[in-house]
Amino acid sequence: MSNPYFDKVYKARTEDETRDLYDGWAATYEQAVQDEGYATPRRCAEALHATLGDAQAPVLDFGCGTGLSGLALRLAGFSTIDGIDLSPGMLAHAREKDIYRTLTPIGPDDPVPTGYAAVAAIGVIGAGAAPLAALDRIFEALDAGAQCVFSFNDHTLEDPTFEALVNRWIADGRLRQLFREHGPHLPGKNINSTVYVLEKV
């Protein structure tokens, strides 16, 4: 039987509708995505660990959701992880995992916290989630030498403006690409994603 949230999640909507959707999905979200073999968090965490090198450096988990991304970061070896998310319902589940140093709600127009060695936006930017402008805000907030790991799933990659923004930042010399790989996202639904690691110049 199809999960009703999967049927809704990739449809465009306002930030308020997005927050309400994820609040409603919070209790069953993890089981739903794990049943489909959700692979992107591990892929992102391992890519960041390979490029950043310092596993004790502080990492911001932007759009941390229920904490699956933070758990992947912890399993990859990172020890200092702060999480922020739009959905209070998702944050409540993340808090139960006891893997974050801090967990904070963030509004759609709030500034991205600064001072981190890396920002992770795992499965966060794109169709059914945070808008492309959020990635611009993350890039702007990075300190020189800081890294950003993020992913675009196949639904998002259908819109060329997402990769165009990434390529523009690289072409302008503001970001340096350290890693880019297309691979499994939700194998159970035959959806892939591209994982990127970029460094602020």
Side-chain angles (χ1 to χ4, degrees), residues 153-185:
N153 64 37
D154 284 343
H155 291 284
T156 300
L157 290 167
E158 290 173 1
D159 182 344
T161 61
F162 285 85
E163 280 210 312
L165 179 130
V166 174
N167 292 335
R168 186 165 64 250
W169 273 81
I170 295 170
D172 290 348
R174 293 179 288 170
L175 291 172
R176 178 168 46 247
Q177 180 176 298
L178 304 179
F179 181 92
R180 183 185 297 209
E181 179 188 75
H182 198 63
H185 176 58

Side-chain angles (χ1 to χ4, degrees), residues 35-191:
D35 284 350
E36 304 297 342
Y38 191 29
T40 295
R42 176 189 56 78
R43 293 177 57 222
C44 285
E46 290 177 355
L48 181 64
H49 190 268
T51 58
L52 193 63
D54 182 5
Q56 295 184 326
V59 177
L60 178 66
D61 188 4
F62 182 96
C64 63
T66 63
L68 287 179
S69 47
L71 181 59
L73 290 164
R74 176 60 61 86
L75 290 173
F78 292 101
S79 58
T80 307
I81 310 165
D82 294 339
I84 56 176
D85 199 272
L86 192 71
S87 164
M90 290 282 192
L91 284 170
H93 286 274
R95 197 163 284 113
E96 294 172 358
K97 290 183 173 57
D98 198 28
I99 54 176
Y100 291 96
R101 181 176 63 175
T102 64
L103 282 167
T104 310
I106 186 172
D109 299 316
D110 291 345
V112 177
T114 59
Y116 289 90
V119 176
I122 299 172
V124 169
I125 308 295
L132 186 55
L135 191 59
D136 245 338
R137 289 165 51 219
I138 291 171
F139 290 165
E140 293 284 1
L142 292 174
D143 296 329
Q147 296 181 17
C148 180
V149 61
F150 60 99
S151 60
F152 292 153
N153 64 37
D154 284 343
H155 291 284
T156 300
L157 290 167
E158 290 173 1
D159 182 344
T161 61
F162 285 85
E163 280 210 312
L165 179 130
V166 174
N167 292 335
R168 186 165 64 250
W169 273 81
I170 295 170
D172 290 348
R174 293 179 288 170
L175 291 172
R176 178 168 46 247
Q177 180 176 298
L178 304 179
F179 181 92
R180 183 185 297 209
E181 179 188 75
H182 198 63
H185 176 58
L186 291 170
K189 290 195 168 293
N190 198 29
I191 301 173

